[in-house]
Amino acid sequence: MAEITVFDGPRNLNLIHKGQMELRRLFGAPLGIKAGVLKSVDGVVARPNASFDGFRRIYGVPFLLDVERLHFMRHGKRLRLRVDQPPDIFHVTRAAPLHIPGAANIYTIHDIIPLRLPSATADDKKYYLGMLREIVRTADHIVTVSEFSRQDIIQLTGISPDRITNTYQPVILPKDATEQPDAAISDMLAAKYGLDFKDYFLFVGAIEPKKNIARLVDAYAASGVQRPLIIAGGLGWMYEKDLEKIADERFLSYSVAGKHIVPQRRVRRLSYVPYSDLVSVMRGARALLFPSLYEGFGLPVLEAMTVGTPTMSSNVTSLPEIVGDAGCLVDPFDVDAMAQAIRRLDADTDYREDLTARGLKRASDFSLEKYGRRLRSVYNKVAW
């Protein structure tokens, strides 16, 4: 039943669970919390989560996110995880107040956006700052994903530079999306999304303030280009202004198809795109437009370069470091500059081809192999 429970759909907490959470709020978990081994039930769960493949043992803790938060808010210390066989290394790949005694405890902090851009997030800033300081104080090592984020974290927390390492991030794309011929991608885009190959601009990301979508839409309108702008991403938070921009009547037109008048939009939102499809949508774009206000890394830009799609990106935070000379960098607050960049990406074939070649070369610096070597170096330094 343990495996079945892990893959169960979301449910509301019952009275027992709510009572347990209230006790955690009052007392935390001073003795720590036991992590149980997830036992496989062969033949019961069809197609279990592929992200579990390759692991010899999977542990689970009920309501871990709630318990770790309530424990830290009560005691100001990391929640102790108890496991039967403590590992040599416990690498928490997010900022979380957890630790395993006896292991080398390593934490990945991707960025400190809740503190650097507080108006753009819905996080509890007091909790986040206290938790971050505790992690930095007690960790055996901190990992981050760009030199920009590394310096940002050093400046905010005062952590010794030799206790924090930038490993960057790799990009791993599904082969069935990267190896298909252009003709197959073109057919899929037309049939499934009504898109023409290399005939649309693309933004990828959650609808949230730091993504700068409202200014992007204004810049697109000011550019005068006729190829559509596709916004691919789910709802994040504080998205009402962006949705209003996307739905602007300026981008609605009509065409005649037989006896019918068909509405068409120059700015469209795809609320959900499976990841394998998303890579194909990215391959089919004329250019990726990603004028984010703040990124610890900026994975969509790297993904676009990896599949040969030209990029327009911000000239702030980590993005110039990731893009290098392989993309068009603009001031994300300058709508006119963005509009000019969109016009050039629309009209200049030689420019797009140059960015494609540069992007493919730049993306090779973020391969899985190079990331593995950087991460192994951290593990060797900390644990052995």
Side-chain angles (χ1 to χ4, degrees), residues 24 27-33 64-81 96-100 107 127 129-139:
R24 296 298 187 196
F27 303 108
L31 301 179
I33 193 163
L64 178 61
L65 294 176
D66 293 315
V67 175
E68 70 185 41
R69 178 184 178 87
L70 294 173
H71 176 80
F72 184 82
M73 292 177 68
R74 177 64 181 85
H75 296 284
K77 297 184 180 299
R78 298 174 299 172
L79 173 67
R80 178 165 62 96
L81 288 180
L98 301 168
H99 77 113
I100 294 181
Y107 302 81
Y127 165 79
L129 177 59
M131 182 261 294
L132 187 70
R133 286 174 168 166
E134 174 67 6
I135 289 173
V136 167
R137 184 183 70 83
T138 56

Side-chain angles (χ1 to χ4, degrees), residues 88-320:
D88 294 319
I89 296 171
F90 180 53
H91 187 168
V92 189
T93 55
R94 60 186 174 91
L98 301 168
H99 77 113
I100 294 181
N105 288 269
I106 300 172
Y107 302 81
T108 295
I109 301 173
H110 290 83
D111 54 57
I112 50 174
I113 289 173
L115 302 177
R116 290 300 195 197
L117 211 63
S119 63
T121 71
D123 304 80
D124 181 336
K125 310 303 188 297
K126 181 178 179 181
Y127 165 79
Y128 185 86
L129 177 59
M131 182 261 294
L132 187 70
R133 286 174 168 166
E134 174 67 6
I135 289 173
V136 167
R137 184 183 70 83
T138 56
D140 291 289
H141 205 77
I142 299 293
V143 166
T144 191
V145 294
S146 67
E147 190 57 31
F148 170 81
S149 282
R150 181 174 177 270
Q151 294 300 326
D152 221 14
I153 295 166
I154 289 172
Q155 180 182 352
L156 180 73
T157 67
I159 186 174
S160 173
D162 63 358
R163 293 184 57 234
I164 179 169
T165 299
N166 166 30
T167 62
Y168 289 116
Q169 284 185 240
V171 60
I172 308 169
L173 303 179
K175 288 186 177 181
D176 60 346
T178 59
E179 296 180 354
Q180 283 193 61
D182 288 351
I185 297 296
S186 179
D187 290 344
M188 186 279 286
L189 292 174
K192 200 166 183 178
Y193 298 103
L195 298 173
D196 293 327
F197 190 73
K198 295 300 179 185
D199 202 41
Y200 58 90
F201 292 94
L202 178 68
F203 167 86
V204 174
I207 313 298
E208 59 178 279
K210 79 181 180 76
K211 298 300 184 182
N212 205 25
I213 293 171
R215 286 193 187 90
L216 171 61
V217 172
D218 283 341
Y220 169 78
S223 73
V225 303
Q226 294 304 303
R227 291 181 172 87
L229 170 62
I230 306 302
I231 310 290
L235 297 178
W237 46 83
M238 295 187 285
Y239 45 73
E240 290 80 7
K241 179 182 177 181
D242 292 331
L243 291 182
E244 184 178 333
K245 284 282 186 180
I246 293 169
D248 196 306
E249 292 298 317
R250 290 177 296 172
F251 308 118
L252 180 63
S253 61
Y254 297 88
S255 63
V256 178
K259 297 181 179 180
H260 301 282
I261 298 176
V262 180
Q264 295 176 325
R265 294 200 59 85
R266 287 172 52 219
V267 177
R268 289 173 51 197
R269 176 173 167 249
L270 303 178
S271 59
Y272 172 73
V273 182
Y275 188 65
S276 59
D277 280 10
L278 183 61
V279 176
S280 297
V281 171
M282 197 173 285
R283 273 186 62 183
R286 197 168 188 82
L288 178 80
L289 309 179
F290 194 74
S292 179
L293 299 178
Y294 197 112
E295 295 290 331
F297 185 83
L299 191 57
V301 171
L302 178 56
E303 291 171 331
M305 293 192 297
T306 301
V307 298
T309 297
T311 64
M312 182 196 84
S313 183
S314 301
N315 63 359
V316 297
T317 65
S318 68
L319 289 165

Side-chain angles (χ1 to χ4, degrees), residues 326-353:
C328 174
L329 297 175
V330 296
D331 180 346
F333 295 96
D334 190 334
V335 171
D336 290 337
M338 284 194 280
Q340 182 177 352
I342 293 169
R343 283 193 292 268
R344 186 178 183 187
L345 287 165
D346 184 56
D348 193 332
T349 301
D350 291 341
Y351 182 55
R352 291 197 307 274
E353 290 178 350

